[in-house]
Amino acid sequence: VVIIGLRGTQKAMSSTFLFSGVVPLRVRSVLTPANPATDRASMASSSGAKWAQKTITLPPLRRGCHLITPKILKEIREDLSDFNCGLAHVFLQHTSASLTINENYDPDVQADTETFLNRIVPEGNSAPWRHTMEGPDDMPAHIKSSMFGCQLTIPITKGKLSMGTWQGIWLCEHRDAPTARRVVVTLNGI
């Protein structure tokens, strides 16, 4: 059941989902127009979702965790400003590096995270890994990449990424030899 109603200057859409043997889940979405006098768009009657996509090549970075938020924002700023509400999907096209959202202020957090990863994933000739064709740091890099993952989803609100004050996007480079990394950013919303 979908109910679309008007309350003040906000347009709302509510849905109730019923699952067998589960308590009903009620979802309510609200779109607040930027300018209620002129913006009459609603979630139900808007002209449809917009999409934008860009592949960003990051320069080679030394092993460790690196704040890449400024570089990502620089590359997508123009497209991002066209979205009032939506999602940004950030995807790293590699298996020996990873993405995560974490502290954007104190670089000690990046160093401590690298120290933690190196302690829990053994490396070198004494490590138990069978995949060693690309070097002793390659298999540990794959494991670390799987731990953090290669993709992020970040809300978009009024043309900006909706991250907390102290949050930033990190690229974690898990290999000893720096290499350029490709990140695909896909924006979707209204």
Side-chain angles (χ1 to χ4, degrees):
V1 174
V2 176
I3 304 165
I4 300 174
L6 182 63
R7 178 185 286 171
T9 61
Q10 297 180 337
K11 298 192 181 195
M13 180 167 60
S14 297
S15 301
T16 302
F17 300 94
L18 300 175
F19 299 97
S20 177
V22 178
V23 176
L25 170 67
R26 185 158 182 86
V27 178
R28 183 168 189 272
S29 302
V30 177
L31 171 67
T32 303
N35 182 348
T38 60
D39 186 358
R40 304 221 183 269
S42 75
M43 295 177 94
S45 64
S46 68
S47 60
K50 295 182 283 189
W51 291 87
Q53 188 174 78
K54 184 162 193 176
T55 300
I56 302 164
T57 301
L58 300 170
L61 298 167
R62 64 177 166 62
R63 184 174 174 155
C65 300
H66 306 275
L67 185 65
I68 61 168
T69 312
K71 173 72 171 163
I72 298 294
L73 288 174
K74 179 183 174 192
E75 296 292 331
I76 67 169
R77 189 172 318 276
E78 188 175 326
D79 287 326
L80 185 60
S81 67
D82 291 338
F83 291 86
N84 187 44
C85 178
L87 295 172
H89 183 258
V90 185
F91 180 79
L92 178 66
Q93 295 181 313
H94 300 276
T95 62
S96 57
S98 59
L99 294 172
T100 190
I101 294 177
N102 212 311
E103 169 80 48
N104 68 4
Y105 180 73
D106 184 356
D108 285 346
V109 177
Q110 295 164 326
D112 289 346
T113 301
E114 176 67 10
T115 299
F116 167 77
L117 288 171
N118 291 334
R119 287 193 179 162
I120 62 168
V121 182
E123 191 172 310
N125 294 331
S126 62
W129 317 126
R130 297 188 336 200
H131 175 72
T132 58
M133 291 174 38
E134 298 175 60
D137 66 329
D138 189 48
M139 188 60 214
H142 293 314
I143 293 170
K144 293 172 187 178
S145 176
S146 291
M147 289 172 64
F148 279 170
C150 63
Q151 60 187 335
L152 304 170
T153 303
I154 305 167
I156 301 169
T157 305
K158 297 181 182 172
K160 297 184 180 190
L161 296 181
S162 294
M163 293 192 294
T165 302
W166 306 111
Q167 289 183 318
I169 302 169
W170 289 9
L171 170 79
C172 299
E173 177 56 67
H174 304 303
R175 296 297 308 268
D176 291 329
T179 184
R181 300 295 190 174
R182 287 179 320 280
V183 176
V184 179
V185 180
T186 305
L187 308 175
N188 176 242
I190 54 173

mmCIF file of all heavy atoms in Angstrom, residues 36-60:
data_model
loop_
_atom_site.group_PDB
_atom_site.id
_atom_site.type_symbol
_atom_site.label_atom_id
_atom_site.label_comp_id
_atom_site.label_asym_id
_atom_site.label_seq_id
_atom_site.Cartn_x
_atom_site.Cartn_y
_atom_site.Cartn_z
ATOM 1 N N PRO A 36 9.705 26.183 -1.544
ATOM 2 C CA PRO A 36 8.318 25.705 -1.635
ATOM 3 C C PRO A 36 7.442 26.524 -2.572
ATOM 4 O O PRO A 36 6.477 26.011 -3.125
ATOM 5 C CB PRO A 36 7.810 25.801 -0.197
ATOM 6 C CG PRO A 36 9.034 25.819 0.654
ATOM 7 C CD PRO A 36 10.105 26.460 -0.178
ATOM 8 N N ALA A 37 7.766 27.804 -2.778
ATOM 9 C CA ALA A 37 6.943 28.657 -3.637
ATOM 10 C C ALA A 37 7.050 28.253 -5.109
ATOM 11 O O ALA A 37 6.100 28.384 -5.871
ATOM 12 C CB ALA A 37 7.343 30.119 -3.469
ATOM 13 N N THR A 38 8.232 27.756 -5.511
ATOM 14 C CA THR A 38 8.437 27.448 -6.929
ATOM 15 C C THR A 38 8.678 25.970 -7.208
ATOM 16 O O THR A 38 8.460 25.515 -8.317
ATOM 17 C CB THR A 38 9.638 28.240 -7.482
ATOM 18 O OG1 THR A 38 10.806 27.870 -6.738
ATOM 19 C CG2 THR A 38 9.397 29.732 -7.399
ATOM 20 N N ASP A 39 9.161 25.230 -6.235
ATOM 21 C CA ASP A 39 9.494 23.821 -6.446
ATOM 22 C C ASP A 39 8.314 22.948 -6.052
ATOM 23 O O ASP A 39 8.057 22.721 -4.886
ATOM 24 C CB ASP A 39 10.721 23.443 -5.619
ATOM 25 C CG ASP A 39 11.202 22.030 -5.904
ATOM 26 O OD1 ASP A 39 10.564 21.334 -6.723
ATOM 27 O OD2 ASP A 39 12.214 21.640 -5.324
ATOM 28 N N ARG A 40 7.579 22.458 -7.026
ATOM 29 C CA ARG A 40 6.398 21.650 -6.761
ATOM 30 C C ARG A 40 6.664 20.160 -7.015
ATOM 31 O O ARG A 40 5.757 19.374 -7.126
ATOM 32 C CB ARG A 40 5.237 22.129 -7.628
ATOM 33 C CG ARG A 40 4.969 23.608 -7.415
ATOM 34 C CD ARG A 40 3.484 23.839 -7.365
ATOM 35 N NE ARG A 40 3.200 25.251 -7.238
ATOM 36 C CZ ARG A 40 3.053 25.861 -6.074
ATOM 37 N NH1 ARG A 40 3.198 25.202 -4.965
ATOM 38 N NH2 ARG A 40 2.775 27.145 -6.021
ATOM 39 N N ALA A 41 7.949 19.793 -7.121
ATOM 40 C CA ALA A 41 8.284 18.392 -7.394
ATOM 41 C C ALA A 41 7.975 17.527 -6.191
ATOM 42 O O ALA A 41 8.051 17.967 -5.055
ATOM 43 C CB ALA A 41 9.773 18.273 -7.730
ATOM 44 N N SER A 42 7.592 16.307 -6.436
ATOM 45 C CA SER A 42 7.404 15.333 -5.363
ATOM 46 C C SER A 42 8.083 14.049 -5.780
ATOM 47 O O SER A 42 8.450 13.874 -6.933
ATOM 48 C CB SER A 42 5.920 15.092 -5.107
ATOM 49 O OG SER A 42 5.378 14.292 -6.131
ATOM 50 N N MET A 43 8.210 13.163 -4.836
ATOM 51 C CA MET A 43 8.832 11.887 -5.154
ATOM 52 C C MET A 43 8.000 11.120 -6.168
ATOM 53 O O MET A 43 8.524 10.365 -6.956
ATOM 54 C CB MET A 43 9.028 11.066 -3.888
ATOM 55 C CG MET A 43 10.009 11.714 -2.930
ATOM 56 S SD MET A 43 10.143 10.779 -1.436
ATOM 57 C CE MET A 43 11.543 9.762 -1.855
ATOM 58 N N ALA A 44 6.706 11.310 -6.149
ATOM 59 C CA ALA A 44 5.827 10.568 -7.050
ATOM 60 C C ALA A 44 5.739 11.205 -8.431
ATOM 61 O O ALA A 44 5.561 10.511 -9.421
ATOM 62 C CB ALA A 44 4.434 10.464 -6.446
ATOM 63 N N SER A 45 5.863 12.530 -8.499
ATOM 64 C CA SER A 45 5.631 13.187 -9.776
ATOM 65 C C SER A 45 6.869 13.852 -10.366
ATOM 66 O O SER A 45 6.768 14.549 -11.359
ATOM 67 C CB SER A 45 4.529 14.243 -9.619
ATOM 68 O OG SER A 45 4.967 15.255 -8.732
ATOM 69 N N SER A 46 8.042 13.668 -9.745
ATOM 70 C CA SER A 46 9.236 14.301 -10.296
ATOM 71 C C SER A 46 9.545 13.696 -11.659
ATOM 72 O O SER A 46 9.052 12.646 -12.026
ATOM 73 C CB SER A 46 10.418 14.136 -9.345
ATOM 74 O OG SER A 46 10.809 12.788 -9.291
ATOM 75 N N SER A 47 10.397 14.361 -12.396
ATOM 76 C CA SER A 47 10.684 13.932 -13.758
ATOM 77 C C SER A 47 11.520 12.662 -13.796
ATOM 78 O O SER A 47 11.851 12.178 -14.863
ATOM 79 C CB SER A 47 11.389 15.057 -14.516
ATOM 80 O OG SER A 47 12.614 15.377 -13.859
ATOM 81 N N GLY A 48 11.857 12.116 -12.665
ATOM 82 C CA GLY A 48 12.584 10.854 -12.629
ATOM 83 C C GLY A 48 13.981 11.025 -12.082
ATOM 84 O O GLY A 48 14.503 12.124 -11.951
ATOM 85 N N ALA A 49 14.562 9.922 -11.762
ATOM 86 C CA ALA A 49 15.905 9.917 -11.190
ATOM 87 C C ALA A 49 16.937 10.344 -12.226
ATOM 88 O O ALA A 49 16.782 10.094 -13.414
ATOM 89 C CB ALA A 49 16.230 8.531 -10.663
ATOM 90 N N LYS A 50 17.996 10.980 -11.730
ATOM 91 C CA LYS A 50 19.133 11.362 -12.565
ATOM 92 C C LYS A 50 20.297 10.438 -12.229
ATOM 93 O O LYS A 50 20.394 9.923 -11.118
ATOM 94 C CB LYS A 50 19.549 12.810 -12.273
ATOM 95 C CG LYS A 50 18.521 13.835 -12.645
ATOM 96 C CD LYS A 50 19.043 15.235 -12.357
ATOM 97 C CE LYS A 50 18.944 15.494 -10.871
ATOM 98 N NZ LYS A 50 19.211 16.866 -10.495
ATOM 99 N N TRP A 51 21.171 10.279 -13.194
ATOM 100 C CA TRP A 51 22.371 9.470 -13.019
ATOM 101 C C TRP A 51 23.574 10.254 -13.514
ATOM 102 O O TRP A 51 23.472 11.012 -14.475
ATOM 103 C CB TRP A 51 22.278 8.175 -13.828
ATOM 104 C CG TRP A 51 21.277 7.196 -13.343
ATOM 105 C CD1 TRP A 51 19.948 7.152 -13.669
ATOM 106 C CD2 TRP A 51 21.505 6.118 -12.438
ATOM 107 N NE1 TRP A 51 19.337 6.113 -13.021
ATOM 108 C CE2 TRP A 51 20.271 5.453 -12.260
ATOM 109 C CE3 TRP A 51 22.618 5.651 -11.769
ATOM 110 C CZ2 TRP A 51 20.133 4.337 -11.441
ATOM 111 C CZ3 TRP A 51 22.479 4.538 -10.954
ATOM 112 C CH2 TRP A 51 21.259 3.895 -10.796
ATOM 113 N N ALA A 52 24.704 10.045 -12.872
ATOM 114 C CA ALA A 52 25.982 10.568 -13.352
ATOM 115 C C ALA A 52 27.060 9.572 -12.930
ATOM 116 O O ALA A 52 26.938 8.921 -11.888
ATOM 117 C CB ALA A 52 26.263 11.946 -12.757
ATOM 118 N N GLN A 53 28.095 9.435 -13.741
ATOM 119 C CA GLN A 53 29.167 8.492 -13.412
ATOM 120 C C GLN A 53 30.497 9.031 -13.902
ATOM 121 O O GLN A 53 30.588 9.602 -14.990
ATOM 122 C CB GLN A 53 28.898 7.133 -14.035
ATOM 123 C CG GLN A 53 29.871 6.057 -13.584
ATOM 124 C CD GLN A 53 29.472 4.701 -14.115
ATOM 125 O OE1 GLN A 53 29.709 4.406 -15.271
ATOM 126 N NE2 GLN A 53 28.859 3.886 -13.263
ATOM 127 N N LYS A 54 31.517 8.830 -13.084
ATOM 128 C CA LYS A 54 32.855 9.283 -13.450
ATOM 129 C C LYS A 54 33.883 8.300 -12.908
ATOM 130 O O LYS A 54 33.771 7.839 -11.772
ATOM 131 C CB LYS A 54 33.117 10.668 -12.875
ATOM 132 C CG LYS A 54 34.441 11.240 -13.286
ATOM 133 C CD LYS A 54 34.497 12.723 -13.074
ATOM 134 C CE LYS A 54 35.714 13.267 -13.807
ATOM 135 N NZ LYS A 54 35.781 14.700 -13.735
ATOM 136 N N THR A 55 34.886 7.980 -13.735
ATOM 137 C CA THR A 55 36.005 7.154 -13.289
ATOM 138 C C THR A 55 37.163 8.088 -12.960
ATOM 139 O O THR A 55 37.557 8.917 -13.785
ATOM 140 C CB THR A 55 36.419 6.140 -14.367
ATOM 141 O OG1 THR A 55 35.288 5.284 -14.637
ATOM 142 C CG2 THR A 55 37.592 5.293 -13.912
ATOM 143 N N ILE A 56 37.669 7.954 -11.754
ATOM 144 C CA ILE A 56 38.742 8.803 -11.254
ATOM 145 C C ILE A 56 39.980 7.942 -11.081
ATOM 146 O O ILE A 56 39.929 6.883 -10.454
ATOM 147 C CB ILE A 56 38.348 9.430 -9.898
ATOM 148 C CG1 ILE A 56 37.058 10.249 -10.058
ATOM 149 C CG2 ILE A 56 39.481 10.256 -9.329
ATOM 150 C CD1 ILE A 56 36.379 10.584 -8.751
ATOM 151 N N THR A 57 41.111 8.391 -11.646
ATOM 152 C CA THR A 57 42.370 7.687 -11.450
ATOM 153 C C THR A 57 43.152 8.407 -10.362
ATOM 154 O O THR A 57 43.478 9.586 -10.501
ATOM 155 C CB THR A 57 43.185 7.627 -12.755
ATOM 156 O OG1 THR A 57 42.402 6.952 -13.750
ATOM 157 C CG2 THR A 57 44.495 6.883 -12.552
ATOM 158 N N LEU A 58 43.412 7.672 -9.288
ATOM 159 C CA LEU A 58 44.190 8.225 -8.185
ATOM 160 C C LEU A 58 45.663 7.940 -8.433
ATOM 161 O O LEU A 58 46.020 6.856 -8.894
ATOM 162 C CB LEU A 58 43.749 7.599 -6.866
ATOM 163 C CG LEU A 58 42.280 7.808 -6.493
ATOM 164 C CD1 LEU A 58 41.908 6.947 -5.300
ATOM 165 C CD2 LEU A 58 42.009 9.267 -6.208
ATOM 166 N N PRO A 59 46.541 8.878 -8.116
ATOM 167 C CA PRO A 59 47.976 8.646 -8.330
ATOM 168 C C PRO A 59 48.492 7.552 -7.395
ATOM 169 O O PRO A 59 47.861 7.250 -6.372
ATOM 170 C CB PRO A 59 48.604 10.003 -7.983
ATOM 171 C CG PRO A 59 47.638 10.635 -7.033
ATOM 172 C CD PRO A 59 46.272 10.160 -7.463
ATOM 173 N N PRO A 60 49.629 6.952 -7.732
ATOM 174 C CA PRO A 60 50.200 5.932 -6.848
ATOM 175 C C PRO A 60 50.431 6.506 -5.444
ATOM 176 O O PRO A 60 50.948 7.615 -5.296
ATOM 177 C CB PRO A 60 51.530 5.572 -7.511
ATOM 178 C CG PRO A 60 51.352 5.962 -8.941
ATOM 179 C CD PRO A 60 50.440 7.155 -8.933
#
